[in-house]
Amino acid sequence: MTENQKVLELAGYAGTILLKSGAEIFRVQETMNHIIESFGITNYHVYVLSNAIFATVGEGTPQHCSLVRNVPLGEANLCRIDGVNTVSRKLRDGQYDADTALRKLQEIEHARPQSRGILIFSCGYASMAFCYLFGGSIWDCLCVFVIGLVHECYQLSPHKTKSSFTSTLFSSAMVTFLSAVSALALPILNFDHLVIGSIFALFPGILFTNSIREFFNGDYLSGIIHMIHAILIGVCIALGVCAVILVFRLIGGVFL
């Protein structure tokens, strides 16, 4: 493997981790640019889409090489994004060589995720906080906290469906059903507040925000792809909630 190929593979690896972790398109391109330039290479081109990377180094020379990567959309992971950016900065400052940077990137990609307990508690706490912000009582918040715990347990389950749309549809229906049952069993609870607090954990906030930033940065194609993905997830959430409400209306739910 030539030096150009080694540098290009390193930059492509970093870009792949960033894309899988939900990084913005401009951040992926800038990070890859910094990595390539840190090795003194100026003749290069990098083009990034929401699910693909195209890059060339040394175009028009005997050392020319190209890289194409298909990167499936993944869930946001800010720890990985921060880790890759740190590696990029240390490469630029001369603190890492290519082999050290590659080893660090591998450690970042395979780093142990947060413990399941922390993730489950965080989802319950966030759901409870949203319920409170939208006017829920202390009893509503406590109920939503439990529903959030159940929801995150499903999200972390190995039996969860691989499709993000199907998973979102089922999750929204599940939390709506739990909210409905809770409101029926305990009249002190407000069904609307329970549903609002429970489904907020499903909203694709980062995905939607990234799409808006990409529009402003001129990355229109990636912005459209992310926007469509966010809208489809929103539609799945709405379908799951509406389906459960419709079922309860058909069977005579007293609070709907």
Side-chain angles (χ1 to χ4, degrees):
M1 181 181 295
T2 65
E3 184 66 21
N4 281 357
Q5 288 175 322
K6 191 174 183 179
V7 172
L8 191 57
E9 286 291 332
L10 180 64
Y13 187 29
T16 300
I17 297 174
L18 289 174
L19 271 187
K20 284 183 178 180
S21 303
E24 307 94 321
I25 299 302
F26 80 90
R27 186 185 302 276
V28 178
Q29 291 188 166
E30 285 186 355
T31 300
M32 292 182 64
N33 290 345
H34 289 325
I35 291 176
I36 294 173
E37 290 172 1
S38 66
F39 291 91
I41 298 174
T42 57
N43 183 11
Y44 69 90
H45 300 279
V46 174
Y47 180 60
V48 179
L49 295 175
S50 59
N51 58 352
I53 294 175
F54 307 89
T56 62
V57 169
E59 186 175 359
T61 68
Q63 291 78 33
H64 171 261
C65 55
S66 302
L67 178 143
V68 178
R69 291 275 174 86
N70 175 36
V71 185
L73 294 175
E75 297 181 353
N77 190 318
L78 299 182
C79 291
R80 286 182 179 173
I81 294 175
D82 179 64
V84 174
N85 287 336
T86 299
V87 171
S88 172
R89 287 192 294 269
K90 291 190 175 182
L91 268 172
R92 183 191 57 194
D93 297 337
Q95 299 180 38
Y96 285 168
D97 57 17
D99 294 331
T100 303
L102 178 60
R103 186 174 66 254
K104 292 294 182 180
L105 291 176
Q106 291 172 340
E107 291 175 359
I108 292 169
E109 183 181 28
H110 300 103
R112 185 177 179 180
Q114 293 285 348
S115 69
R116 294 170 62 90
I118 292 177
L119 293 174
I120 293 171
F121 176 81
S122 299
C123 182
Y125 185 82
S127 300
M128 180 177 65
F130 281 119
C131 180
Y132 176 77
L133 288 174
F134 283 92
S137 67
I138 183 64
W139 304 111
D140 294 333
C141 293
L142 290 175
C143 183
V144 168
F145 177 76
V146 176
I147 294 174
L149 298 181
V150 175
H151 165 246
E152 188 63 16
C153 286
Y154 166 71
Q155 291 294 323
L156 296 176
S157 170
H159 304 294
K160 185 189 75 170
T161 176
K162 300 298 182 182
S163 170
S164 62
F165 300 118
T166 306
S167 173
T168 301
L169 180 63
F170 181 81
S171 295
S172 63
M174 178 182 67
V175 298
T176 306
F177 175 79
L178 293 175
S179 299
V181 171
S182 300
L184 276 176
L186 299 171
I188 194 176
L189 299 176
N190 184 291
F191 173 70
D192 292 338
H193 292 154
L194 296 183
V195 172
I196 290 173
S198 300
I199 66 174
F200 248 91
L202 296 169
F203 284 138
I206 294 179
L207 193 63
F208 183 79
T209 302
N210 283 350
S211 70
I212 299 299
R213 294 188 68 176
E214 284 156 13
F215 283 130
F216 280 103
N217 289 326
D219 298 315
Y220 302 116
L221 182 57
S222 296
I224 290 173
I225 293 173
H226 282 151
M227 180 66 74
I228 292 174
H229 192 194
I231 291 174
L232 288 176
I233 291 177
V235 170
C236 289
I237 294 172
L239 289 175
V241 173
C242 291
V244 173
I245 292 177
L246 179 61
V247 169
F248 271 84
R249 281 183 175 176
L250 292 175
I251 65 177
V254 295
F255 58 92
L256 299 177

